[in-house]
Amino acid sequence: MAMRSRLLPALSLLLILSISFQPASAQQDPLSLSSDGIRLSAHYFLSIPSYSNIADVKTFGWVGGIIFSYKSSFTFSAVPDDYSNLYAGLIMSEALLHKGFVSLDEGNLSVKIKGIANYFLSRTTRNLWTSEASGYYIDIQFSSNVLLLLAYAQALGIIDAEKEIKNAAYSLVNLQDKSGGWAWQPESYYQRNPDPFTTAYALHALTAVRKLYDINVDNSIVDAITYLEQTASPSGGWLDPVRDSMIASSLVEAEMIGFDVDQSLLSRVAAELKQHITGNPAPTMDNAVVLWGLLRLASAGILDTEDVLSSFSGIAVSIARAVNRDGLPPYGYTPFIWTRCQETYDAVRFFEAWLRSSSITVMVSPLSGFIGNRTVENSTLRLQVLVKNNLQKGISLKLLCDPSDPITGKTSVDIGIQPLSSSSVELQFSTPPKLQQPRDSRIRLTLIDPLTKEFLYTKIIGVEVLRDANI
């Protein structure tokens, strides 16, 4: 795929495998390293030199708010580097979306993001974008990532492009195949067959826009989910662990905003990803993507978050410590700025997921109304949720409580927690006065970052509601 070239020569692979792989206890903790990795990656782009004239750019640099670079020996001067600008914008905007967790130079990062966003807004083709690889034709993967960047910049208040973002989303929907999937270049002759990987790009972009606006793309999202569910193999995957991680993450994104996703499929993908990284524990960028997917699945309640954090903290530490000092973006092993921007983006998404997941510790305790995992009709159920903030700065969270029939008591609670402190919330639920027969139910507890609307933690408590012999 054009958007995901993985060029790792033998020498680079040896370099990866030679990285120190010590136990996490012997090194800095992965929570701090993840925070540092996000900050280092975002602030790297503030260190790139700025020039007044394109002719002054020797290798790469900022000119007029965007990154220029020499693409080849056949160009007489530096040219705008669309891929580097795209990934730089995504890295900086996603970092700012996590400013509640990381201390950042918000002002200067916002200026850089605005320049890149305006550059892409000025270069639309039929409301979307072409790429160097697609030529005249719309590139769905590239367009989806540009739309994602614009949605992030809009959410941060950096740009005002509601009309352009909505038009891009509708144009993306118009290029959706009748199967529910998207092709890489649906207007072309040779690249017009839909595939799960490209569909994941489009689905992720549409869910990001759907978080911003109540626009008419829900049927398109449902069709994309159905396509991905139907094209998965019986074992749960689609292509390979890296791309499967990205596809599963797009499904989790859709679930986060209320769409139904096959939970058994997500469980099978989670098992596949966990098996892969257990058997291949090298600190590579591919494994950073796989770990990102595992953490996304854990945040949706498919896996136990604490189990993922404890099982793979050693790999997380090694990935975070593999920082390059060669003047290119800090993570990855390819020698070109745009591919290193892409690999650093992979690392940043992993760091963000690890930071979100490990920033809090959650304990859920039954107070009354439960007998193990059972209760009876006409009961009041009380739960205590204790949330510990593991960060050096205060955080704000939203707790969503969503019981299924026949248990009632759906609610949401805003929680503010001081640095390295805890907050406790008591929740109350009810069972109906009388049941015709025993019922299986569940109480789903989800902690959300209000700014990004990302899941930090999900716990699903299965409850069997029985008849009360005394009634």
Side-chain angles (χ1 to χ4, degrees):
M1 291 292 179
M3 293 291 285
R4 189 156 203 86
S5 58
R6 292 278 171 186
L7 308 174
L8 290 179
L11 182 61
S12 297
L13 184 58
L14 289 173
L15 176 62
I16 294 170
L17 295 176
S18 67
I19 294 171
S20 172
F21 188 55
Q22 304 171 23
S25 59
Q27 306 179 53
Q28 191 177 356
D29 70 281
L31 176 61
S32 298
L33 285 168
S34 295
S35 178
D36 291 344
I38 295 169
R39 186 184 305 105
L40 174 66
S41 300
H43 286 179
Y44 163 79
F45 295 99
L46 302 182
S47 70
I48 295 177
S50 297
Y51 300 95
S52 300
N53 300 309
I54 298 173
D56 296 331
V57 179
K58 303 305 179 185
T59 52
F60 56 89
W62 293 101
V63 181
I66 59 173
I67 297 174
F68 280 70
S69 70
Y70 275 93
K71 303 294 287 186
S72 73
S73 59
F74 298 104
T75 58
F76 295 100
S77 65
V79 296
D81 187 337
D82 284 2
Y83 287 111
S84 293
N85 280 290
L86 173 58
Y87 288 115
L90 285 169
I91 289 166
M92 291 186 289
S93 59
E94 290 209 18
L96 278 188
L97 285 170
H98 291 80
K99 60 187 178 183
F101 301 85
V102 186
S103 297
L104 297 162
D105 185 346
E106 296 180 30
N108 284 319
L109 289 173
S110 296
V111 170
K112 297 298 188 187
I113 294 167
K114 185 174 183 178
I116 293 173
N118 286 335
Y119 169 72
F120 284 116
L121 286 168
S122 71
R123 293 176 60 84
T124 58
T125 300
R126 299 180 290 283
N127 296 322
L128 292 169
W129 293 269
T130 61
S131 68
E132 294 176 18
S134 69
Y136 171 79
Y137 300 112
I138 297 297
D139 183 326
I140 294 297
Q141 294 180 18
F142 188 80
S143 291
S144 297
N145 266 350
V146 174
L147 181 53
L148 191 64
L149 166 61
L150 297 179
Y152 289 161
Q154 184 81 5
L156 289 164
I158 294 172
I159 61 172
D160 183 9
E162 178 178 345
K163 178 181 177 181
E164 292 86 349
I165 290 172
K166 288 181 176 179
N167 286 342
Y170 289 133
S171 295
L172 190 61
V173 169
N174 289 336
L175 291 174
Q176 188 174 19
D177 187 74
K178 63 182 180 181
S179 66
W182 275 269
W184 175 31
Q185 298 172 30
E187 300 170 324
S188 73
Y189 182 79
Y190 295 103
Q191 301 289 345
R192 62 185 182 185
N193 293 324
D195 67 87
F197 190 51
T198 301
T199 301
Y201 273 91
L203 178 58
H204 193 182
L206 288 179
T207 55
V209 176
R210 189 64 178 79
K211 287 180 183 179
L212 284 175
Y213 306 115
D214 185 15
I215 61 172
N216 186 24
V217 297
D218 287 11
N219 289 340
S220 177
I221 291 175
V222 170
D223 290 345
I225 293 170
T226 301
Y227 170 83
L228 292 174
E229 290 175 343
Q230 291 177 345
T231 54
S233 69
S235 64
W238 293 268
L239 299 162
D240 56 67
V242 174
R243 289 183 289 183
D244 286 359
S245 176
M246 299 178 70
I247 296 168
S249 295
S250 73
L251 289 170
V252 170
E253 287 284 345
E255 185 177 50
M256 285 182 179
I257 58 174
F259 291 90
D260 292 329
V261 178
D262 184 347
Q263 299 297 289
S264 64
L265 168 61
L266 295 180
S267 295
R268 294 196 302 274
V269 176
E272 174 213 7
L273 299 182
K274 195 170 182 180
Q275 181 181 18
H276 167 80
I277 204 161
T278 300
N280 304 274
T284 63
M285 287 303 105
D286 279 357
N287 275 348
V289 177
V290 175
L291 274 174
W292 170 61
L294 281 173
L295 288 165
R296 301 290 283 161
L297 290 163
S299 71
I302 303 300
L303 295 170
D304 181 83
T305 299
E306 292 299 325
D307 177 59
V308 175
L309 293 174
S310 61
S311 297
F312 303 112
S313 61
I315 302 174
V317 166
S318 295
I319 292 172
R321 290 172 65 90
V323 179
N324 293 293
R325 304 293 183 185
D326 56 5
L328 294 174
Y331 295 97
Y333 298 94
T334 49
F336 308 107
I337 181 173
W338 83 263
T339 52
R340 280 280 284 278
C341 285
Q342 179 185 3
E343 289 177 314
T344 296
Y345 180 49
D346 290 341
V348 165
R349 288 192 297 184
F350 159 63
F351 294 147
E352 289 165 352
W354 193 279
L355 182 64
R356 286 194 302 268
S357 298
S358 58
S359 63
I360 56 173
T361 302
V362 184
M363 293 182 60
V364 181
S365 306
L367 297 177
S368 64
F370 293 91
I371 308 169
N373 65 337
R374 295 180 173 182
T375 188
V376 295
E377 58 192 358
N378 199 36
S379 295
T380 298
L381 314 178
R382 293 168 55 238
L383 284 174
Q384 182 185 62
V385 180
L386 179 68
V387 185
K388 179 187 175 185
N389 176 13
N390 299 321
L391 300 175
Q392 299 284 345
K393 60 187 303 184
I395 57 173
S396 298
L397 305 171
K398 183 179 287 291
L399 173 62
L400 301 183
C401 314
D402 185 17
S404 68
D405 190 56
I407 298 175
T408 58
K410 183 175 182 178
T411 187
S412 66
V413 181
D414 293 322
I415 305 174
I417 315 176
Q418 295 299 312
L420 304 176
S421 299
S422 299
S423 180
S424 178
V425 177
E426 185 175 311
L427 305 172
Q428 185 167 299
F429 307 93
S430 300
T431 58
K434 193 168 183 64
L435 285 175
Q436 296 300 317
Q437 58 186 10
R439 297 277 300 277
D440 289 330
S441 181
R442 60 106 179 98
I443 299 173
R444 182 186 180 104
L445 305 175
T446 307
L447 281 160
I448 295 177
D449 172 15
L451 178 61
T452 63
K453 298 182 174 62
E454 297 280 357
F455 289 15
L456 276 72
Y457 173 90
T458 298
K459 185 174 183 65
I460 299 173
I461 304 168
V463 182
E464 186 180 5
V465 185
L466 305 176
R467 297 288 307 277
D468 188 344
N470 296 320
I471 297 180

